Amino acid sequence: MPSENPDRAPVRVLRRAASVLGRGRVAFVRGWAHPRLKWPKRVAAGVAVLLVVPILTAGVSLRLQYAGDPAPGTRTRERDAVWLGHAWVDGRNGEARLAELVRRMRGTGIRDLYVHAGPLEHDGGLPAARYPKARWLVDAVRRELPGVRVQAWLGDVLSTEGKTGLDLGERATRERVVRSARQVLDAGFAGVHFDLEPLHSGDRDYLSLLDDVHEVTRAHRAPLSVAAHQIDPLPSLHSVAGFVAGHPKWWSQSYFGAVARRVDQIAVMSYDTAMPMESLYGGYVAQQTRLAIEATPRGTDLLMGLPAFHTDDIGHRESAETVAAAVRGARLGLSREDARRERFGVALYVDFAATPGDWAAYRRDWGAPKSD
C-alpha cells in the first residue's frame, strides 16, 4: 500500500474538523497538493489551516458547552439586577414610567437597580446636578418595591487606551472617586456600582480604589458592586489580544478573583462577544459562568449579564446574543459547577433597550421560583 502523500494530510484534518460542524467541503484548500503549486501558496494555505482548525475546534467546544439540560432548581435566587438609564434621575422619567417599572419588577427575582448617576468627571468628581431626581426615585422604589435596592451606577472611560479619560494611576483621582461614592450614598442611594472601562487585567490601582471605597460602603452598610470584564476563555488570551489589537478584552481568572474578593457583588458583562450563532453564544456564557464561579468567593454575589439590547455591529449580533441563550448558558454553567450556589443571579442590560420579548425570556427561563 503506497504511503500517504504528506501534502494531503492537512486537507484530511481540515475536512474531518469541518464535517463535525456539518460542512462536507473545504474547496478553498483544494489546490494544496497540486504539483505546480509554488511554495508561497503552500505557506499561505498552511497558515489558513493553522487559523481555521483552531476556530472550528473552538466552535465545536462551545456548541458542546450548550448541550444538555440545566439542573432542576437552577432558577432565580432573588438576587438579580437590571441596569437603568440616566433618565431615572435627571427628571425625564416621571410617575407614568415609574408605574410601568414597578409592574415589570414585581414577581421577578430582581433585587438591585443599577441607576446611572454619572458619568464621573475625568478627575473622579461627580456634580450633584447630574442626579437631581435621585431622592424621588429612591423613595418611590422603597415604597412600591420593598426590598429592592437602588444603587448608583458610576462609570467613565479610563485613559488606559487613549489620551483622555479617568486615570486611576493618579492618587488624587482615586481619592475624588472615593468622595463621589460617599456623596451618592449620602444622597440616598443604597449602594455603589462601578463600571469603568476599558479596565486592563492586573490593574493594581483599581484594586486599591476598591479597597478604599469598600471602607466607605461598609461604614454605610451598603453594597459595593462592580461590572466586570469577561474571563480569558484560553490561558493568557488577554495578553495576546493586548499585543495584537491593543485592547486586552478579557481579564485573567486570577485577576477576576482579586476583584471579586474586594466587593460584595460582581456582574459579568457577558455580551459583546462577536459570536455568530445563538448556540455558540450560549456555550460561551456557560463557559464564562463556570470560570466566574471558580474565581468568586462564596460570600460574593455573582451575576451574569443578559444582553437586553438590540444592535448589530462587529462585537454584537442580536440574532445570536439573546436573553434566552444567555439565561440557558448561565443555567448550564451553574449546573455543572455549583448548582446549589445561592449567591448567584443575572443582570439585564439595559432597561431602555429591553423589549417585551427580553423580559418574557427572563421571566420564563430564569425568573420563576427555584423548582422546575
Side-chain angles (χ1 to χ4, degrees):
M1 180 177 179
S3 60
E4 178 174 309
N5 184 344
D7 286 340
R8 299 297 297 176
V11 179
R12 294 180 185 277
V13 172
L14 188 55
R15 279 181 174 154
R16 292 191 187 108
S19 67
V20 174
L21 294 180
R23 298 180 182 271
R25 298 179 301 167
V26 283
F28 52 89
V29 292
R30 287 186 185 277
W32 177 283
H34 196 284
R36 290 175 294 180
L37 189 64
K38 302 298 185 181
W39 71 265
K41 293 184 178 180
R42 292 194 180 202
V43 171
V47 171
V49 170
L50 292 175
L51 291 174
V52 171
V53 169
I55 292 173
L56 292 175
T57 302
V60 172
S61 175
L62 292 179
R63 183 62 186 86
L64 291 175
Q65 293 272 355
Y66 199 55
D69 296 318
T74 51
R75 299 280 188 172
T76 184
R77 276 80 166 128
E78 299 183 352
R79 294 177 181 272
D80 305 330
V82 58
W83 281 276
L84 301 182
H86 200 81
W88 288 104
V89 292
D90 68 4
R92 283 176 289 167
N93 286 348
E95 295 293 340
R97 293 298 302 273
L98 177 65
E100 180 183 341
L101 177 69
V102 169
R103 286 194 300 271
R104 184 154 281 158
M105 296 299 108
R106 281 182 176 152
T108 71
I110 291 176
R111 183 181 65 165
D112 286 294
L113 309 179
Y114 304 141
V115 182
H116 191 263
L120 295 167
E121 296 283 291
H122 287 344
D123 68 358
L126 179 65
R130 290 192 176 154
Y131 50 89
K133 298 285 286 183
R135 179 61 69 175
W136 165 80
L137 177 66
V138 169
D139 289 346
V141 170
R142 186 177 295 132
R143 180 181 66 251
E144 300 293 338
L145 297 168
V148 174
R149 304 179 297 194
V150 180
Q151 298 196 41
W153 166 11
L154 303 180
D156 194 19
V157 175
L158 297 179
S159 61
T160 49
E161 297 176 15
K163 295 181 180 179
T164 61
L166 191 150
D167 184 358
L168 292 179
E170 295 287 340
R171 182 178 180 84
T173 298
R174 296 199 305 273
E175 289 174 348
R176 279 188 286 270
V177 174
V178 174
R179 288 199 293 271
S180 295
R182 183 180 294 109
Q183 177 182 316
V184 294
L185 293 174
D186 291 341
F189 286 98
V192 176
H193 176 80
F194 283 127
D195 179 11
L196 303 173
E197 303 178 50
L199 184 56
H200 293 181
S201 184
D203 191 320
R204 303 298 304 178
D205 295 318
Y206 183 58
L207 300 182
S208 177
L209 173 67
L210 295 179
D211 288 336
D212 294 341
V213 174
H214 213 173
E215 291 184 12
V216 173
T217 57
R218 275 194 293 260
H220 284 75
R221 297 183 179 180
L224 173 58
S225 173
V226 295
H229 289 343
Q230 297 156 30
I231 301 172
D232 279 340
L234 297 172
S236 299
L237 188 57
H238 70 279
S239 299
V240 176
F243 177 78
V244 174
H247 175 59
K249 174 181 175 66
W250 298 274
W251 286 352
S252 70
Q253 192 181 37
S254 62
Y255 186 69
F256 186 98
V259 172
R261 289 192 296 273
R262 287 169 166 81
V263 299
D264 302 296
Q265 188 180 69
I266 186 166
V268 184
M269 295 181 286
S270 41
Y271 34 77
D272 290 334
T273 66
M275 292 294 164
M277 298 168 56
E278 197 173 24
S279 59
L280 299 184
Y281 171 65
Y284 182 83
V285 174
Q287 180 193 56
Q288 285 291 307
T289 301
R290 178 182 59 80
L291 293 171
I293 290 175
E294 288 176 350
T296 304
R298 297 190 70 83
T300 300
D301 285 347
L302 169 63
L303 281 66
M304 302 304 295
L306 306 181
F309 61 101
H310 302 270
T311 57
D312 271 313
D313 54 38
I314 191 170
H316 176 83
R317 293 176 64 94
E318 80 167 295
S319 61
E321 294 192 14
T322 65
V323 170
V327 169
R328 176 175 167 78
R331 292 187 66 194
L332 287 167
L334 178 64
S335 301
R336 292 164 185 157
E337 189 62 31
D338 189 359
R340 300 176 66 86
R341 184 184 177 101
E342 283 297 313
R343 303 184 77 95
F344 185 87
V346 297
L348 291 99
Y349 180 87
V350 58
D351 77 305
F352 54 80
T355 66
D358 294 328
W359 284 104
Y362 161 71
R363 284 178 173 269
R364 179 189 69 239
D365 300 335
W366 177 257
K370 292 183 290 183
S371 61
D372 283 346

